[in-house]
């Protein structure tokens, strides 16, 4: 896909992965975005690599080019469908407001990175890309997974919500009667896809599929 055309810009999603628990959410989201024919610009922090190694069987190369190839092989997609950018790649398209315009998701979003974004501290490419999304008025979805939440956490998220960031906690509902961990993951991934206006059939919508209650 040619990343310079207006048609392909509409198909690009920026996905950042930081060091909170919840790596399986990221990999399921990436799978769904690729299945929906989106191109994904992917960034991962060092802490996220450690968490992913703990929570999943995926082994992630540290080199961005090697990671890009590994993910393409894992998800069986063509070259160009996943682009991986290193934490200090300040020439990446997402590092500037004059770069490509597309929505961004950070999943999971650690409280450290949420704090940095709220303070405007662009210490790495993920934080800078989020800062760009905010200043340019683009969709920014943050998926925190922390419990319990301190007053600092809540204040930072409130600050970002007031800047029109979407705070979408990894807190799955149970009304669809999930029978597996995969179903719990899909609940949250479905909500993220809704925010990105990406069609899916991961879970029945309210009022469909028998989720409604009589009376």
């Amino acid at each position: 896909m040619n990343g310079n055309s207006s048609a392909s810009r509409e198909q690009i999603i920026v996905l950042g992965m930081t060091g909170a628990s919840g790596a399986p959410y990221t990999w399921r989201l990436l799978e769904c975005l690729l299945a929906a024919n989106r191109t994904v610009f992917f960034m991962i922090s060092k802490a996220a690599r450690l968490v992913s190694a703990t929570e999943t069987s995926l082994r992630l190369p540290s080199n961005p080019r090697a990671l890009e190839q590994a993910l393409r092989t894992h998800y069986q997609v063509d070259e160009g469908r996943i682009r991986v950018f290193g934490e200090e790649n300040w020439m990446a398209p997402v590092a500037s407001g004059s770069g490509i315009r597309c929505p961004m998701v950070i999943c999971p979003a650690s409280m450290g990175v949420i704090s940095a974004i709220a303070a405007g501290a662009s210490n790495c490419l993920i934080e800078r890309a989020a800062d760009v999304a905010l200043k340019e008025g683009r969709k920014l979805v943050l998926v925190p997974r922390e419990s319990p939440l301190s007053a600092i956490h809540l204040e930072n998220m409130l600050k970002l919500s007031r800047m029109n960031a979407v705070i979408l906690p990894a807190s799955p509902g149970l009304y669809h009667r999930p029978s597996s961990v995969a179903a719990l993951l899909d609940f949250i991934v479905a909500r993220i896809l809704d925010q990105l206006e990406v069609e899916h059939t991961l879970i029945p919508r309210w009022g469909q599929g028998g989720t409604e209650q009589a009376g």
Side-chain angles (χ1 to χ4, degrees):
M1 180 178 292
N2 184 347
N4 293 322
S5 71
S6 59
S8 59
R9 281 199 298 270
E10 296 171 358
Q11 300 297 317
I12 292 172
I13 306 293
V14 180
L15 175 58
M17 181 181 186
T18 63
S21 180
Y25 286 113
T26 313
W27 303 128
R28 179 59 169 151
L29 175 59
L30 179 55
E31 178 184 10
C32 291
L33 289 173
L34 294 170
N37 203 33
R38 276 14 181 214
T39 293
V40 179
F41 287 2
F42 183 66
M43 299 165 287
I44 181 171
S45 70
K46 292 178 182 178
R49 293 177 192 277
L50 294 175
V51 173
S52 183
T54 301
E55 297 182 342
T56 76
S57 60
L58 284 175
R59 294 298 172 260
L60 308 175
S62 58
N63 179 274
R65 292 296 296 274
L67 176 56
E68 185 176 297
Q69 177 61 55
L71 292 175
R72 277 177 24 217
T73 300
H74 180 76
Y75 289 105
Q76 298 183 334
V77 294
D78 296 334
E79 185 174 359
R81 293 290 309 287
I82 303 173
R83 294 185 61 188
V84 177
F85 299 97
E87 289 186 277
E88 297 184 353
N89 184 353
W90 304 113
M91 297 304 294
V94 297
S96 173
S98 62
I100 197 161
R101 299 184 63 84
C102 44
M104 180 176 184
V105 182
I106 302 180
C107 175
S110 69
M111 288 302 156
V113 78
I114 285 176
S115 173
I117 297 167
S122 298
N123 298 309
C124 64
L125 185 60
I126 294 175
E127 294 170 11
R128 172 57 183 168
D131 188 59
V132 168
L134 287 174
K135 79 183 186 71
E136 296 293 327
R138 302 173 193 170
K139 173 78 79 170
L140 175 62
V141 181
L142 303 173
V143 186
R145 204 242 50 93
E146 188 67 80
S147 183
L149 295 165
S150 74
I152 294 173
H153 301 153
L154 294 168
E155 287 172 358
N156 285 332
M157 289 189 286
L158 177 59
K159 184 177 180 180
L160 289 167
S161 179
R162 286 173 171 164
M163 290 185 248
N164 293 322
V166 176
I167 309 299
L168 200 161
S171 178
L174 301 175
Y175 55 78
H176 63 307
R177 298 183 182 180
S179 59
S180 65
V181 171
L184 293 172
L185 296 176
D186 278 356
F187 183 94
I188 295 301
V189 171
R191 301 304 298 273
I192 299 170
L193 295 174
D194 286 345
Q195 287 295 321
L196 298 173
E197 298 184 0
V198 174
E199 292 295 327
H200 66 85
T201 57
L202 293 182
I203 62 170
R205 296 199 175 276
W206 185 256
Q208 301 175 0
T211 58
E212 71 277 10
Q213 298 295 316

